[in-house]
Amino acid sequence: MTEQPFAVNVTKDLHRLKDNIRAESCSRYFKTGKGDYGEGDKFLGLTMGQQRQIAKKYTALTLPEIQKLLAAKEHESRMTGLFILINKYDKTQFDERKRIYEFYLKNTRSINNWDLVDCTAHRIVGKFIRNHDPLEHLTLYRLAKSKSMWERRISIISCFEFIRNNDFEHALKIAEILLNDDHDLIHKAVGWMLREIGKRDIKVEEEFLKKNYQQMPRTMLRYAIEHFSEKKRQFYMKKE
């Protein structure tokens, strides 16, 4: 019989690979200083590849044990816990996927940096809503109106699963909700998703832009038009 894994085993594996120099660099990159969006976040200095490899070892970890990882102060513990959650989601069927989806939404306080959101929201929230419970799309709109910036980012990044399948409705509606958001990380996320829509249907993206580009934050607009020709980028950036 295989021994039941525990969160402490994951933590030991993470700490064995600790890299202080990389950790210091990550702390700067993810803005952990006082007043920054990642204030207080702690890093061990592992690469994404290392975290994914550790996560593969612990797919059998239970949700209560994953909860311990998500409650940890170390960024890599939370990320690895989320990677384990994705691995579990991909290996299960509806009932367990629903439990994982609900567990994810109950733990958004721990999904509190942009990489944690971007690597996971579409893989769990987006997938569950699109493939299993379309009526749950209302959750995306609730998150889009949340006071939590991370929940707002989860709402738009979750739409990536729909965009990848050429379904743009929710992404466009949520982009409109977030159009006047006051946080740069939301501007970047919305612009990114609009750009992804444009890769699949440029007419749909431009229809949205022509309606909204004059009021879009500059960062959002720059991200959205990144792959346009120079002439077309200049047209939108003039905001005339």
Side-chain angles (χ1 to χ4, degrees):
M1 178 180 289
T2 304
E3 185 179 352
Q4 175 67 47
F6 296 98
V8 65
N9 304 126
V10 181
T11 301
K12 287 178 180 178
D13 282 2
L14 291 170
H15 278 266
R16 286 191 193 103
L17 297 173
K18 184 176 180 180
D19 182 331
N20 290 331
I21 295 175
R22 183 179 173 83
E24 185 176 343
S25 176
C26 288
S27 293
R28 291 193 300 270
Y29 183 70
F30 287 99
K31 307 293 185 184
T32 62
K34 186 172 178 59
D36 290 332
Y37 63 74
E39 181 178 351
D41 208 352
K42 305 295 182 184
F43 286 84
L44 297 172
L46 277 72
T47 67
M48 294 292 275
Q50 289 172 323
Q51 293 169 78
R52 291 181 191 276
Q53 284 300 313
I54 291 172
K56 286 180 181 179
K57 292 174 55 180
Y58 295 101
T59 302
L61 210 66
T62 64
L63 294 185
E65 289 298 307
I66 294 174
Q67 182 83 62
K68 295 176 183 178
L69 294 175
L70 297 186
K73 63 181 181 179
E74 295 88 358
H75 188 97
E76 289 88 350
S77 292
R78 303 196 303 282
M79 179 64 90
T80 303
L82 291 169
F83 282 151
I84 295 169
L85 206 59
I86 290 171
N87 293 342
K88 290 176 75 68
Y89 183 94
D90 289 342
K91 292 176 181 294
T92 56
Q93 300 303 315
F94 174 77
D95 287 344
E96 184 63 16
R97 286 182 174 183
K98 185 176 183 180
R99 286 184 64 223
I100 291 169
Y101 162 77
E102 292 173 346
F103 177 85
Y104 185 98
L105 291 177
K106 288 178 181 177
N107 283 278
T108 55
R109 284 177 131 188
S110 298
I111 308 169
N112 57 354
N113 216 314
W114 58 264
D115 61 323
L116 301 175
V117 174
D118 294 1
C119 290
T120 64
H122 62 293
R123 298 284 303 276
I124 294 178
V125 178
K127 274 190 174 182
F128 182 81
I129 294 173
R130 180 180 176 273
N131 296 322
H132 295 297
D133 195 349
L135 292 179
E136 273 290 309
H137 73 270
L138 295 175
T139 297
L140 297 177
Y141 295 89
R142 174 181 63 79
L143 293 170
K145 297 174 182 177
S146 171
K147 292 181 180 179
S148 164
M149 184 267 290
W150 301 118
E151 289 192 344
R152 299 198 303 277
R153 188 161 175 122
I154 287 170
S155 73
I156 188 65
I157 297 300
S158 294
C159 292
F160 192 27
E161 177 64 20
F162 292 86
I163 294 169
R164 289 170 61 184
N165 288 277
N166 297 311
D167 180 353
F168 311 132
E169 178 185 2
H170 297 311
L172 293 170
K173 288 181 177 178
I174 289 173
E176 284 195 332
I177 292 172
L178 298 174
L179 207 58
N180 297 310
D181 199 279
D182 61 1
H183 205 291
D184 186 63
L185 286 178
I186 300 301
H187 303 167
K188 291 177 179 177
V190 173
W192 172 23
M193 290 302 104
L194 291 173
R195 186 175 72 230
E196 292 297 330
I197 290 173
K199 288 180 182 178
R200 294 156 177 84
D201 194 327
I202 190 63
K203 290 183 179 179
V204 172
E205 183 187 6
E206 287 213 66
E207 183 179 340
F208 180 91
L209 291 176
K210 287 174 181 176
K211 178 183 175 183
N212 298 294
Y213 79 98
Q214 290 183 311
Q215 66 185 96
M216 289 172 70
R218 303 290 279 187
T219 299
M220 185 186 296
L221 185 56
R222 286 194 185 98
Y223 269 61
I225 65 176
E226 183 178 1
H227 293 160
F228 286 12
S229 68
E230 178 64 22
K231 182 178 179 180
K232 192 174 285 188
R233 285 201 303 272
Q234 289 302 320
F235 166 79
Y236 283 110
M237 291 305 293
K238 285 180 181 177
K239 289 196 171 187
E240 293 177 353

